[in-house]
Amino acid sequence: MLEAVNIHKCFIRNENTGIFRRRKQTKVNAVNGIDISIQPGQIIGLLGVNGAGKTTTIKMLAGLIKPTAGSISIDGINGVEHPNEIKKIINMISGGERNIYWRLTAKENLEYFGALYNLKKEEINAYAVKALDLVGLSDVKDIPVEQYSKGMKQRLQIARGLINNPKYIFLDEPTLGLDVSIARDMRKYILSLVKNENKGILLTSHYIAEVEELCDYVYILENGKIIASGLPSQIARMIQKGIKVVISVLHLPDDTLVRLQEFAAPHNADLNLDRNDSEVIITLQAQADLSIPLVSLLIGDNLQILQMAVSEPSLEDALIHLAMEASHLE
Ligand SMILES: Nc1ncnc2c1ncn2[C@@H]1O[C@H](COP(=O)(O)OP(=O)(O)OP(=O)(O)O)[C@@H](O)[C@H]1O
Ligand SMILES: [Mg+2]
């Protein structure tokens, strides 16, 4: 099990200010006392707006940067004191195209990174055959990476990140910039690593649907602090206001609108209207499911209902709500 307790990271930021470009140093508390745990066989999501502290957290867990304070234990090893020990059982894969050598071929990249883990040549070769087949790069394994597409480079990142057969894998936006079908394959593969090989995964992503689909548990970071954690559906419910009912009608007479407003107020519900040429879309959001009384009200006024949908808030709604709250506080 991986357990991080009360970890902090304070960076010193250098700024050039004024016409003489004097250097000024300021402290940035990128991570401000967080607890995270990951069990093998689990995918944990780390969500938050830009700058919330996700990458900094992952880098600390991966032993790439040292926490300013706090403890990290991975299968009983003290990760802060022994970063080289934990590197044998963890690996980090980040989205984008860094961490691989463009001049080298896919196979040469794996040979290079395998050597860093002191793997034997035969072990690396056996791994390369298996991994390159898995990520669909066998046919291009001898072509320099600079001639690869973004998706191909990204898939090579995956092969590189698994070369030491890590027990815990940190995925920092693994599907960034990938097209829909490759991203879908990647998600399938991530799931299979957890289900079939019992890996423990920490995932950050800006694609909320991806987090909802993959994660067993989610932490929400804001300004370096965890402000909520739970199942994806719980988080959404916790942060965003309850259940959304969307009903479209042909037209909405003024007296029905007044009745709607009178109905919404005591429930503390948000009422929104969107009118276009062919319909009026009524959206009502409240802690309780107001679909049945809303339909009764409209039918009572002889309105014809064209469409209706009732939905629980998504994690995406929750994050947008969070980001808006954060900007109000600034
Ligand atoms: N090396 C560094 N030196 C100084 N400040 C840093 C450094 N790395 C990160 N920061 C700051 O720490 C904060 C958290 O950054 P971090 O990269 O962890 O955020 P993030 O949640 O991964 O954001 P994104 O969604 O944009 O990837 C930001 O304010 C950032 O400017
Ligand atoms: Mg980041």
Side-chain angles (χ1 to χ4, degrees):
M1 180 169 153
L2 180 155
E3 206 159 19
V5 180
N6 202 16
I7 49 171
H8 291 72
K9 183 69 195 179
C10 176
F11 288 114
I12 305 294
R13 183 180 281 164
N14 290 314
E15 282 173 56
N16 294 328
T17 56
I19 48 170
F20 299 112
R21 301 185 66 73
R22 251 195 307 254
R23 271 167 91 78
K24 190 180 128 201
Q25 291 196 322
T26 47
K27 282 187 177 175
V28 182
N29 289 316
V31 173
N32 227 335
I34 65 173
D35 297 347
I36 283 185
S37 65
I38 311 170
Q39 306 266 11
Q42 252 191 347
I43 308 185
I44 302 293
L46 196 54
L47 282 180
V49 296
N50 293 136
K54 304 179 295 293
T55 300
T56 306
T57 301
I58 283 199
K59 284 183 172 170
M60 285 194 280
L61 300 181
L64 297 175
I65 55 174
K66 202 175 166 110
T68 316
S71 68
I72 298 169
S73 156
I74 305 182
D75 287 355
I77 304 168
N78 183 332
V80 181
E81 296 298 323
H82 306 293
N84 290 333
E85 278 292 299
I86 59 161
K87 278 179 191 160
K88 292 178 194 155
I89 50 168
I90 55 134
N91 213 329
M92 173 173 171
I93 297 169
S94 34
E97 298 155 25
R98 285 170 299 149
N99 300 328
I100 43 174
Y101 289 98
W102 289 32
R103 296 272 170 86
L104 303 181
T105 67
K107 188 157 177 286
E108 288 165 346
N109 263 285
L110 295 184
E111 283 165 359
Y112 173 78
F113 286 103
L116 291 185
Y117 284 102
N118 290 326
L119 299 180
K120 294 199 196 90
K121 237 185 164 154
E122 309 82 73
E123 282 178 304
I124 299 174
N125 288 340
Y127 175 77
V129 171
K130 198 178 85 184
L132 292 174
D133 181 45
L134 201 78
V135 297
L137 293 177
S138 297
D139 292 348
V140 293
K141 67 179 191 314
D142 296 319
I143 295 175
V145 168
E146 59 197 357
Q147 295 174 33
Y148 285 11
S149 72
K150 202 183 226 175
M152 288 155 83
K153 291 188 191 109
Q154 184 68 5
R155 282 181 277 154
L156 179 58
Q157 297 270 16
I158 303 267
R160 180 202 55 77
L162 299 174
I163 197 161
N164 59 330
N165 191 20
K167 194 163 163 191
Y168 299 95
I169 307 164
F170 309 125
L171 300 172
D172 197 8
E173 304 189 39
T175 56
L176 184 77
L178 296 186
D179 74 36
V180 179
S181 74
I182 295 175
R184 194 177 47 216
D185 287 349
M186 194 77 86
R187 286 198 292 276
K188 250 197 232 161
Y189 184 56
I190 293 170
L191 267 181
S192 79
L193 283 171
V194 171
K195 302 287 170 250
N196 304 335
E197 300 188 36
N198 206 33
K199 309 280 188 200
I201 291 184
L202 181 68
L203 169 87
T204 80
S205 175
H206 280 112
Y207 306 118
I208 312 300
E210 182 166 286
V211 173
E212 283 191 303
E213 180 187 332
L214 294 179
C215 293
D216 300 301
Y217 199 79
V218 180
Y219 293 95
I220 307 267
L221 263 186
E222 190 186 298
N223 293 326
K225 286 204 170 97
I226 291 170
I227 54 156
S229 65
L231 301 173
S233 55
Q234 281 176 336
I235 294 287
R237 235 173 286 137
M238 214 183 294
I239 302 172
Q240 180 67 300
K241 240 190 184 179
I243 294 160
K244 189 157 75 176
V245 188
V246 181
I247 293 184
S248 58
V249 289
L250 268 181
H251 59 94
L252 188 67
D254 287 346
D255 49 346
T256 306
L257 175 58
V258 172
R259 267 192 284 281
L260 268 179
Q261 286 162 336
E262 285 169 356
F263 167 70
H267 288 100
N268 201 16
D270 289 336
L271 174 68
N272 286 295
L273 299 181
D274 191 6
R275 294 173 195 270
N276 61 38
D277 291 345
S278 52
E279 60 183 359
V280 182
I281 301 167
I282 305 162
T283 305
L284 195 69
Q285 193 156 8
Q287 288 294 352
D289 178 358
L290 298 179
S291 54
I292 292 172
L294 179 60
V295 168
S296 314
L297 190 155
L298 297 173
I299 291 176
D301 278 13
N302 287 323
L303 299 191
Q304 193 190 343
I305 292 174
L306 302 174
Q307 271 189 27
M308 168 171 164
V310 182
S311 61
E312 297 255 321
S314 71
L315 211 46
E316 178 150 28
D317 291 337
L319 275 187
I320 291 168
H321 185 77
L322 250 185
M324 277 170 24
E325 280 200 339
S327 66
H328 284 317
L329 292 175
E330 276 168 10

